[in-house]
Amino acid sequence: MDSKTRATLAEVLASGETEIVSQWLELHAKTARRQSQAETQDTARRAKEFTNLLRAGVQSGDSEVTGSSWAPMRDFLSDLSAARAKAGYSSIDTASFIFSFKQPLFAALQSHIPPGASTDSGDLSAITMTATQLVDRLGLLTVEAFQRTREDVIARQQQEMLELSTPVVRLWENILALPLIGTLDSARTQIVMQN
């Protein structure tokens, strides 16, 4: 991302933040699942935080979202994804929240840069393409973080179910009962031996 594109994008995010966030939340409300009042407030808070972190990342000059200056944004997306995964949202709902940011951003860019502006002053199509690529990368990071959280939850649930499926009951001194239903594989055997 060249310095002119970065400066223009940062300026649009700063000057149009309120309008962008407002349009984003309005658009998201039409496409998202029904939310409680608390979820709506949380979504509004996260939308503002996302916009501020995006502006800071753009201003940093680091064109790759994997760079160190984008760490706060990556942490934010991981937290957002984990919270939504635990709240029962789907990965599509979570990613759509980020991807729906494009439309209000493009509207703000279009109103900021008049049609037919020369390349020297900042070409709308080049800035729009840069913004698209940036939001797409952030959306993909969101999906990755969501999947990691879901995999962690599933692994933890599998472990808990495995422990519940191999109870050890102490009957008398040195006498144990092990009611086992199903196949005794190496993982279950290991749990039985540990218990």
Side-chain angles (χ1 to χ4, degrees):
M1 179 180 335
D2 66 29
S3 61
K4 261 185 202 173
T5 300
R6 185 172 52 248
T8 303
L9 192 52
E11 182 182 330
V12 167
L13 287 167
S15 64
E17 177 186 359
T18 304
E19 188 176 333
I20 290 170
V21 169
S22 174
Q23 288 177 6
W24 183 18
L25 292 172
E26 205 173 289
L27 179 65
H28 179 66
K30 291 177 186 175
T31 60
R33 74 177 196 173
R34 191 172 193 87
Q35 293 184 324
S36 69
Q37 182 67 23
E39 287 174 320
T40 302
Q41 290 173 349
D42 183 60
T43 300
R45 181 186 59 80
R46 288 181 188 271
K48 289 175 187 172
E49 188 176 353
F50 175 86
T51 307
N52 289 330
L53 290 171
L54 180 60
R55 185 179 65 243
V58 167
Q59 288 174 333
S60 73
D62 199 347
S63 61
E64 285 301 317
V65 296
T66 55
S68 61
S69 58
W70 287 91
M73 176 62 91
R74 289 193 306 273
D75 292 342
F76 167 81
L77 294 174
S78 291
D79 180 56
L80 170 74
S81 297
R84 286 182 165 237
K86 291 173 184 171
Y89 286 81
S90 70
S91 59
I92 293 172
D93 290 334
T94 305
S96 294
F97 175 64
I98 300 301
F99 290 132
S100 64
F101 178 74
K102 286 182 190 181
Q103 189 174 338
L105 176 61
F106 295 163
L109 285 169
Q110 197 166 22
S111 66
H112 183 77
I113 301 169
S118 71
T119 306
D120 294 338
S121 66
D123 185 24
L124 177 60
S125 63
I127 294 172
T128 303
M129 181 57 76
T130 300
T132 297
Q133 291 171 342
L134 183 59
V135 174
D136 286 348
R137 283 188 226 125
L138 295 173
L140 292 174
L141 284 174
T142 304
V143 171
E144 281 181 21
F146 185 92
Q147 288 177 320
R148 272 194 312 271
T149 301
R150 293 295 299 160
E151 288 169 2
D152 291 346
V153 167
I154 290 168
R156 190 181 73 245
Q157 288 172 342
Q158 285 176 333
Q159 181 64 29
E160 289 171 358
M161 287 181 66
L162 195 57
E163 289 173 3
L164 288 173
S165 70
T166 54
V168 177
V169 180
R170 186 181 181 137
L171 298 176
W172 298 284
E173 185 71 30
N174 296 325
I175 306 288
L176 303 174
L178 300 160
L180 298 175
I181 299 170
T183 307
L184 188 61
D185 60 6
S186 60
R188 285 185 73 193
T189 303
Q190 182 67 27
I191 290 174
V192 168
M193 297 302 289
Q194 287 174 351
N195 289 344

